[in-house]
Amino acid sequence: MDTLHPVLRQVTDRIADRSQSDRTTYLARIAAAGEQGPARGRLACANIAHGFAASGKADKQALRGMVKPNIAIVSAYNDMLSAHKPFETYPAVLKKSVIDAGGIAQFAGGVPAMCDGITQGRDGMQLSLFSRDIIAMSTAIALSHDMFDATLMLGVCDKIVPGMLIGALSFGHLPAVFVPAGPMTSGLPNGEKAKARQLYAEGKVGREALLDAEAASYHGSGTCTFFGTANSNQLLMEVMGLHLPGSSFVNPGTAMRDALTREAAHVVTGLTSLGDNYTPVGEVVDVKSIVNGCVALLATGGSTNHTMHLVAIAKAAGITLTWQDLSDLSAVVPLMARIYPNGKADVNHFHAAGGLGFVIGSLLDAGLMHEDVKTVAGQGLRRYTQEPKLDGDGVMWQDGTRMSHDDTVLRGANEPFSADGGLKMLTGPIGKCVIKTSALAPEHRVVTGPARVFDDQADFLEAFDAGLLDGDFVAVLRYQGPKANGMPELHKLTPALGILQDKGRSVALITDGRMSGASGKVAAAIHLTPEAASGGPIAKILDGDMITLDSLDGTLSIDVPLDEFEARPVTGRVLDKDEWSSTGRDLFSGMRALVGPADEGAMFVLR
């Protein structure tokens, strides 16, 4: 189908119009940076000698000659995190493959990689969101030496991929290929894991039983298999043309995974300005690819964290994306996938059912994606409807499936699970926020109840444990924004709220903090702005105020006369810095000076 859906066209056009000045400036900057060939050719002799001092004889000669492309490898490897463990062996493989393709490669630098799953409910979570911007700066530092013609990015999880892409876009004249590691094989089904968590929260099983369940679910190398932020990252990189087609959800340690890794090195070597297929990352990430990413996220019920990360990624490329854009797209983009927490299947089941190739093909046919985009695999998104097959030690691509192999997991755009996508923006006198709707049962799409106000998630959990949360209510958890305490993820609240909901209570959450990409069955209005620490209206809510969260109409209302509500003083408190964890206090204080108040998740990005 050649005709674009009118809403897709309208949203794309208005993003392009509002971004015209910034995007023009950005493109001019990266064009100027790339127009003179390898930057190392302009380095003084002492500078470039430092750059290849530790290289072998053949590599030194190649770097002196300015003829072979030099590929930077930037990695988030550490062996504590399952998703990043496979990257341990990638640099040597990639270097050899680049040489085979006629180039040369150097390991340019590493970036930090922290796990929200480990820091959940801990002080370390206060640094999680800020780590994205540290990763962006670390990536930029790795690329700052003017030694490189392209880059291979090795990252998977929550803040890591967005941070690396933001950093790469600050050197947008360089081509970039993201190299995934793939999900771990399926372990204990996610539904059974969630049941164990809920039983533990109810006091019906002990810690050992819970740990057994968690360890059976998270059991090996690779990404966690639920559809949280990490796997949403992989989906976005593929849909935006920064992965090789069909490469996101291939398990580690397989022949196909290894072949795709080698092929990524071959491909990026051919994308530099020294060849005939120059493809800078700043041109791949354009308005249409950003819109395609939004559509894919909505169509699959992806992570709410990307209502912040996509905004920041777009901003780094001179593009202004808003929550209204996402909300308007969500109204017309159908929900095509049921992946935990929006269903029982995991990403391995999704991939086996037809995966991203099927999703992209169906959305293109429905006029809900832009086909005319640049990708690292060539011109046009139709390339990403193909799937890789082994060809000896290499890879070839053939047409992917045109039908779902399991319609309980994956359906076409013409017969979806629901007519609208997985995210929606809510507005009202309390502020502006987003909600994930893809996992909400119809009876939980609208919730009305008296406010129960908390300034710390520990206080909420203490009230729950003490049996003080009874009846219907809307939990208001404030002072959780980036200015207050780093905007920690609040997924630890999900089991408690889920228990109350399962008991027949009508419950919901409003917060200026974040929820995990793995949350969803309880209505949660999140990322509320302006945040309490900036004097936002959420800081004026009192216990007992009647609040209605309506994800059908897109409203968040309070049953208090507007003039009375606006006249109320701000209540609650901002944590004094002496109350922050000693490990994160100094770094957080420095980052806060850079970030300032956040608006729709853009935060600080490199320019």
Side-chain angles (χ1 to χ4, degrees):
M1 180 174 179
D2 296 326
T3 304
L4 289 179
H5 191 288
V7 173
L8 184 82
R9 186 184 301 278
Q10 179 186 28
V11 171
T12 303
D13 288 347
R14 79 183 184 210
I15 294 172
D17 288 345
R18 82 166 73 99
S19 307
Q20 183 175 6
S21 177
D22 287 348
R23 180 66 176 170
T24 299
T25 300
Y26 173 79
L27 290 175
R29 177 165 66 82
I30 66 170
E35 67 184 2
Q36 297 178 342
R40 63 184 179 276
R42 300 188 296 276
L43 292 176
C45 293
N47 299 61
I48 196 168
H50 277 290
F52 59 58
S55 300
K57 183 176 180 180
D59 290 352
K60 285 183 179 179
Q61 192 60 39
L63 289 168
R64 289 174 68 122
M66 311 299 167
V67 175
K68 291 187 176 183
N70 187 26
I71 312 301
I73 300 171
V74 181
S75 177
Y77 163 72
N78 68 58
D79 65 7
M80 179 187 69
L81 303 184
S82 64
H84 295 89
K85 167 68 173 175
F87 289 144
E88 180 178 9
T89 59
Y90 275 36
V93 172
L94 292 170
K95 285 183 178 183
K96 182 180 184 305
S97 298
V98 168
I99 290 171
D100 291 345
I104 187 171
Q106 292 179 298
F107 191 91
V111 305
M114 67 179 291
C115 175
D116 285 10
I118 296 173
T119 57
Q120 198 65 244
R122 312 296 301 171
D123 285 344
M125 179 60 78
Q126 295 178 4
L127 291 175
S128 176
L129 187 56
F130 289 134
S131 77
R132 186 195 71 194
D133 301 319
I134 295 169
I135 291 162
M137 287 186 280
S138 299
T139 301
I141 290 167
L143 300 178
S144 67
H145 299 95
D146 282 343
M147 287 288 294
F148 307 111
D149 302 287
T151 179
L152 290 162
M153 294 288 176
L154 279 53
V156 176
C157 288
D158 295 352
K159 316 306 169 300
I160 298 149
V161 166
M164 295 178 88
L165 181 51
I166 290 168
L169 287 168
S170 68
F171 287 79
H173 63 290
L174 298 178
V177 173
F178 279 71
V179 187
M184 68 178 70
T185 55
S186 300
L188 182 74
N190 284 300
E192 292 185 33
K193 176 188 68 180
K195 183 179 180 180
R197 288 178 175 178
Q198 190 153 316
L199 289 171
Y200 178 77
E202 292 176 293
K204 295 179 179 179
V205 301
R207 178 179 170 85
E208 282 301 312
L210 177 63
L211 184 55
D212 285 344
E214 299 286 1
S217 178
Y218 308 121
H219 63 88
S221 291
T223 316
C224 304
T225 59
F226 62 84
F227 197 37
T229 309
N231 286 317
S232 296
N233 283 339
Q234 305 314 296
L235 172 137
L236 288 174
M237 292 304 97
E238 186 162 334
V239 168
M240 292 170 66
L242 295 168
H243 276 177
L244 298 184
S247 65
S248 295
F249 300 124
V250 176
N251 302 125
T254 62
M256 178 59 75
R257 177 82 280 155
D258 295 343
L260 286 165
T261 299
R262 293 191 295 269
E263 184 65 17
H266 295 160
V267 168
V268 78
T269 306
L271 299 180
T272 75
S273 60
L274 295 177
D276 298 326
N277 193 28
Y278 179 43
T279 309
V281 67
E283 293 182 7
V284 173
V285 180
D286 64 2
V287 172
K288 290 180 179 179
S289 71
I290 289 288
V291 170
N292 284 347
C294 293
V295 169
L297 188 75
L298 295 165
T300 55
S303 171
T304 54
N305 280 319
H306 278 293
T307 61
M308 295 180 295
H309 298 325
L310 273 171
V311 171
I313 290 166
K315 194 70 173 177
I319 298 164
T320 302
L321 175 70
T322 71
W323 286 351
Q324 189 64 57
D325 299 325
L326 280 160
S327 192
D328 289 350
L329 288 170
S330 187
V332 299
V333 172
L335 182 65
M336 300 169 59
R338 286 288 189 197
I339 318 169
Y340 186 83
N342 308 325
K344 294 181 179 179
D346 65 22
V347 294
N348 293 313
H349 303 136
F350 167 74
H351 187 62
L356 269 179
F358 174 81
V359 169
I360 292 169
S362 186
L363 289 167
L364 284 171
D365 290 344
L368 286 167
M369 272 190 170
H370 295 283
E371 202 282 330
D372 55 332
V373 292
K374 281 186 178 182
T375 79
V376 299
Q379 183 66 32
L381 194 60
R382 281 283 175 191
R383 294 171 181 269
Y384 284 75
T385 65
Q386 297 183 318
E387 59 184 32
K389 297 292 182 182
L390 287 173
D391 182 20
D393 290 333
V395 183
M396 61 175 289
W397 275 265
Q398 65 182 34
D399 290 341
T401 181
R402 300 287 292 173
M403 60 178 288
S404 170
H405 297 308
D406 186 345
D407 63 8
T408 69
V409 177
L410 183 62
R411 295 182 183 176
N414 60 339
E415 48 181 2
F417 292 100
S418 67
D420 60 346
L423 297 170
K424 195 158 189 175
M425 184 174 74
L426 307 180
T427 58
I430 300 170
K432 180 164 54 175
C433 56
V434 293
I435 184 170
K436 185 173 183 175
T437 59
S438 53
L440 291 180
E443 62 269 25
H444 302 312
R445 293 289 298 265
V446 180
V447 178
T448 297
R452 295 294 303 271
V453 181
F454 301 92
D455 291 347
D456 190 289
Q457 63 177 315
D459 295 338
F460 174 90
L461 293 171
E462 286 177 12
F464 171 79
D465 290 338
L468 300 177
L469 299 177
D470 199 12
D472 300 341
F473 67 90
V474 175
V476 178
L477 186 56
R478 57 197 189 175
Y479 295 104
Q480 303 299 309
K483 189 174 180 181
N485 64 348
M487 208 177 191
E489 203 169 75
L490 303 170
H491 185 50
K492 201 174 181 71
L493 306 182
T494 300
L497 287 165
I499 288 168
L500 295 169
Q501 182 170 277
D502 289 349
K503 288 180 176 180
R505 309 290 189 261
S506 182
V507 296
L509 173 70
I510 299 172
T511 181
D512 49 9
R514 295 186 294 129
M515 290 291 277
S516 167
S519 57
K521 84 170 190 176
V522 176
I526 59 176
H527 308 173
L528 191 139
T529 183
E531 64 175 286
S534 295
I538 190 175
K540 299 181 179 184
I541 299 174
L542 303 177
D543 277 325
D545 287 340
M546 292 300 294
I547 293 175
T548 297
L549 184 160
D550 190 334
S551 67
L552 298 176
D553 289 344
T555 58
L556 182 63
S557 57
I558 183 168
D559 191 18
V560 178
L562 185 59
D563 56 349
E564 177 186 328
F565 184 61
E566 290 178 344
R568 281 184 182 177
V570 169
T571 59
R573 66 192 181 97
V574 180
L575 295 179
D576 183 88
K577 77 172 185 176
D578 290 334
E579 298 178 82
W580 300 338
S581 66
S582 59
T583 55
R585 181 191 313 155
D586 295 337
L587 180 57
F588 175 73
S589 180
M591 286 301 299
R592 180 169 153 183
L594 286 172
V595 176
D599 179 20
E600 295 191 2
M603 297 185 63
F604 170 76
V605 295
L606 297 171
R607 297 183 183 278

